[in-house]
Every structure is written in C-alpha cells, then in structure tokens.
Amino acid sequence: MLVVAALAGRAEADPGPGEPPGAEPAAARVRVSGFWWVKNRDLRELLGVLEPEGRPLPVLDAAFIEDAVLVLQSALIDDGFLRASGTVRLRLEDGSARAYPWSAPGLPELPRDLAAVDAEFSITPGVLYFYDQLQVDGLTSISAAEVRSYFVNDGALLGGRKARKFSAESLDRGCESVRVRLRRLGRMDARVVVAEKTVDDATGAVSVRLQIEEGPLHRLGSVGLTGDLPEDVRSAVEARVRPAVGGVYSTLARQDLVHQVHLELYAHGYANAEVHVAGDSVRDAGDERLHALDLGVGTGPLVRVGEVRFAGDEQTRESVLRRATDARPGQLFDRNRVEADRLSLSSLGAFSAVRADVDEQAPDLWDLTYQLRPSKRLEAGLLAGYGSYERWRGGLEVFHANQFGRAERGRLQIVESTKSQSAEYQLTVPQVFGTTATANMRAYGLDREEVSFDRIEAGVSVGARRHSERFGVDVAGRYQFESLRAEDVVPDLRDEAPEDSRVGAITFDISQDRRDNPLTPKGGYELSLALETAAQALGGDVNYQKLDLKASWHARVGRTAVLHAGLRHGVIWGFGDSTQEIPINKRFFPGGDTTVRGYAEGTAAPRGETGEVIGAEVSTIANLELEAALIGRLSALAFVDAGLTSASIDNYPGDELRVSVGAGLRYNSLIGPIRLEYGYNVVRETGDDTGQLHFSLGFPF
C-alpha cells in the first residue's frame, strides 16, 4: 500500500524545474552492485516489480528505496546470504549525494521527504550459509540420498557451496517435500522434524539432523460403489479399480481411483457422471493400516452425440477432419474419445490450437464443435551452424502448411557451407487413401567435398509412414530414384566401385524411440532397422542391398551422471550378374564427431595401397560415453569410440579396428547440445592421425 500511495502521489506531482508542462519527465536511474555483472543485472530486474507497468520512475522516494531493499534482502536470503548488508547511494534532485547503510533484517533510516534521481544499491553479501552436514534418522522407505536431494543440488560437480545454499525457507520446503514423498508411498502419518540445527556464523556451515517418523504403511483394503449403476457398467467399473486393491494407499492413489471411475463412466456415455469419496474407514492390520474406500457414483443421463461440426478454419477439407476424428452423431458421448479426437486434429500440424466445445441441446443430446485455429500458412527463417568438418554453414528454410486443404506440410531448405551446397524439399500428407498413414515426398540435390572424392547427387523419393500404437513402432517404406556421381576420386578408390550410377531402390525401415528427450536424452532407448534394395528392375543400373542397424541406450548413474551407449552396424553387398556394382557414394566412411571421434570426417574408413581412404562395405561403430553435470546446463564427458570396418564384405565382420578415447564439454542448449570434444586414437592404422578436436551441435548418436 505504501508503494501504491507513493506512486499515485508522484503521478500527480508538478513538472520539475525547467520542464515544460506536459513533458515526459526523465527516468530515475537504478543500479545494483556487489556481484559480477550477470548477478547484478538479475537483481536489478527483480526491482522491476516496483515500477508501475514496467515503466521507470522519474523520482525515487523513501517508500521505493525501502521496498527495493526488502526485495533484495529476500532474494539474497534465498541465495544463502542470510546476513547481507549494503549501502544505498543516492543523488537527490538538488544534485547532492547521500549514503544510507542497511543490514539484514533491518532497513536504512531514510528521511520521509526523500526525492532521488539516481540510486545505487551496493551490496556486501557476507558469508554464504550452506548445508555442511545433513543427517537423517528413522528412514526406511526411501534412501538418504533421495532425502538429501530435496535440500541440496547434488546434480552438479562444480556446484560447491552454492549448490548447498541454506535458508530457513529451503529447510521448510525440503521437509515438506520429504513428507509429501513419504505420504505418496503410503506413509500417510509421516512426520519430519528438525531435531537439531547448528549454525556457524563465521563460516556459514549449517548442520541439520532430521528425525523422521514414517508411521505404519497404509494400503487399500477394498473399494465399494454406491449409486444406481446398470449391472454391466458396475462390473466394468469394478474391473477397472480391482487392480488397485492391496496396493499402497495415498491421497494421490485415491484421486487416481476417482479418475479411473470417471473414465469408465465416460466410456459408457455418462458424460455428466459425478464421483466422490463417500466414506474412508481405516482398520489396523498388524504393522499396516487398511482402508475401506466407498465411492459414491452419480451417473446422470446417458448422453449421445448430436451434430459434429468444425469451425474456425475454411481451408482444410472436411473429409480430412472427419477422418481424423471418431465421434459421430448418434454415438455415446465419450469424453475420452473427444479428447483423443482433439489431439488427433492437433497432430495434423495444420492448427496452432484445437478446442472442443459442447452445446447441450438436451440433457441426453450434446452437439460437438471443434474450434480450429489455423497455423501460419507460410514461414521462413535463416539457418546458421558450425561443424568441425564443414565449418560454417548458413542457409534459408521455408515452411508452408495446408495450402491445398489436405493438412499437408512442406519444407524447403537451402544450405551452403565451406564444403557443400545442398537443396531439399520435403512434403508430407496425412491420412493417405483414408488410412492413418502419412505420405511423404522428397527431392534433393547435393554437392559435397568428401575426404576421397566429390559427392554430386540428386534424387526423388515417394513413400509412406505409419505409427503402430499397439507395438509402439514406426514403419515406413519408400521408392527412390537417385543419380549418383563421384568426381576427383582418389586412385585407390577409383578401382573399387563405379563413379557414375543411377539407383532405383525400395527402402523399408522400422524404428522405435523410447528416449525421454530426443535432443538431450537422459534415459530410454532407440532402435532402428533400414533395408535398401536397389535393382535394375527398379529403374537403375546397379544391383545391391544395404542394411543399417542402429541402437542407443541412455541411463542415469547416481544423481550427477548419465551413461550413453550406441551401436551402429552397416553392410552393403552386390548381387546379380556383377558384385562390383556398389556406388562409391553408398560406401561407409566413418569418422567425425558422430562416430569415431579421434578422426576427422570420413577418415576412420579403410585405406588403399597408397594410403588413400577408400571407404568400407562393412562398418560397425560402438560408442560408450559418461556425461556428468558440472554446473547449470554445462557438463563434462569421457568417451570410448570403436570402429571395426572392412573394404570388402569378403572380410565380414571386419579386418581394421580403430579405437579412440577422449573427453569434452557439453552445453545443453534449447536447440540441442553444443559440444567441444577431443578424441585420441589408442588403436589406429598406418597413416591415421593421433587425434582430433571437434566442435559441433547435436547429440552424437
């Protein structure tokens, strides 16, 4: 209220001396000092809450200064500086200077008629208070390490005392987090008490001993249903909740039971169903407590779907929208299906937002309208990047959506670097031939300087992809026609394969992605298999088959590290009248920042008689990497990469082994990890480099 009153008073003040009536007064200057510039800037931004609508004030009065000190003190205490002090240095309207000291938790003593045009909040942080020791007694359900994680950030190797900063609020928050965790595990009567706390004001070290009383384990003994339910519906609801009986009981488990009953009633057309806890009796059973839960159910009328409409978008064909939704007039109104339809419409990619609106024509008849907000039809952006091999890259990317009313999406990408020029256009069309499959078309051109030849390619492909919900996999097939040319080929490679080929091929691939994050995975796995068959009967002049297998796995190790593992195997072989029809462009050239990192791009492949790289017909790459967080988004890593290759399939699975070990730094940005890595070759062939430094963007495997 003091701030509001002071601001209102200033808003009505007369113009200052020398200011013409109605002129916009100059803004007062506000600064923060005492930390490095980023921290000072962040604290200054916090003071923006005191400025009306984010507009700087022309004059700073005593109320503003006092409120600013309170805001800074709160932020400093949260950062562990419990006894911070400072000085407010002011320049007044008359040009004079004043300085007013303050120390937590007190405020500076200011005259009430203060009017300043410049204020510097100079902070002396003082000692940083931190958790030195955290002892936990009476714990059985969760580990001490998990309890510790609610109080300190052990996920950063270089966090130091800042990762263990202490404040009374952080202690209370941590205790409450432990209580919530225990209650979710069925320890409904859990208590967490700070049994002892010692603070060393000289060093900031804080020792805390927690006494945890977990109490008995609560379980769900039985679930009863009250209400007038048809017998088939009652049986279905009982079947849905039966697996929970005997399990751990908690507030969250009870809420989930209520939700499961709602879902089952919605599926039977009771769109207005109400479910509540009618009773919850508890009895002791040895060391446990059993709950007899009674759920009251009110079904309301059986509701059917009236009309189904689409509004907000006139571009997309209604047939496309109908195929993307299952709700039809006359069906039971299932809220679960409506939500699934909303997500299905969103997945078309033609809309920035989709909302389902209901119009109750009668208690038992509801019309359904999907409100569609179209996404932008045309977007363009510039591209920029850097890689250890191609160096600087730049280009243009253009997206278009739904130009023909089929919810299709297209992307044109033109990129140029110091080593290559490329252009690519991709078009995807959902629901082809009335199915859930997505058709795709691709046309591309590429001119790229490789380590042993210049790659010149152009091609088109047409195919379809479908996701199987049952098995959780993506299955795709496509036909492609390519013109492949290799120029300036090194002599050793020139004798191995044709330099100019036409390829007509069919490719089948299947993949499953269970990673928790595709850009910066910390858990899960990814599997893929691709088989390409090229034959003269498909329009080309070469006959070969190419198999690519890929797998990656990611798992946390403790709280500070993630273990990454990758395996890639590729093999290509000719068939028919000649087995020497494998184009140079299709051979494997491992090496670089995504394969064996002790080598430059393409140089971990077999070499010919004169030492030139000739590529491989068989390639197996294994990667093992340990990544540990340092501070914030920055992490360190150590890795081992191995590559087993052979210039000829006759020597399957390989006759040349290369192994690199290395380390690096990784910054996990919003667009993917930015990586600086060095690999040293501990097992190498004649002519190989001893190591390689890489700077790149993106996860390696």
Side-chain angles (χ1 to χ4, degrees), residues 413-433:
Q413 189 178 83
I414 302 173
V415 178
E416 183 164 359
S417 73
T418 57
K419 297 281 188 178
S420 69
Q421 297 174 329
S422 66
E424 180 184 67
Y425 177 75
Q426 291 190 33
L427 178 69
T428 60
V429 183
Q431 303 175 354
V432 290
F433 307 120

Side-chain angles (χ1 to χ4, degrees), residues 484-523:
L484 308 179
R485 196 163 79 250
E487 296 185 349
D488 295 330
V489 182
V490 297
D492 286 350
L493 181 56
R494 191 176 300 131
D495 298 332
E496 294 290 331
E499 301 175 33
D500 197 346
S501 305
R502 293 192 313 276
V503 174
I506 293 177
T507 299
F508 168 82
D509 66 64
I510 182 171
S511 61
Q512 184 179 58
D513 190 349
R514 294 294 176 84
R515 295 174 296 172
D516 57 358
N517 188 313
L519 294 179
T520 55
K522 297 291 189 295

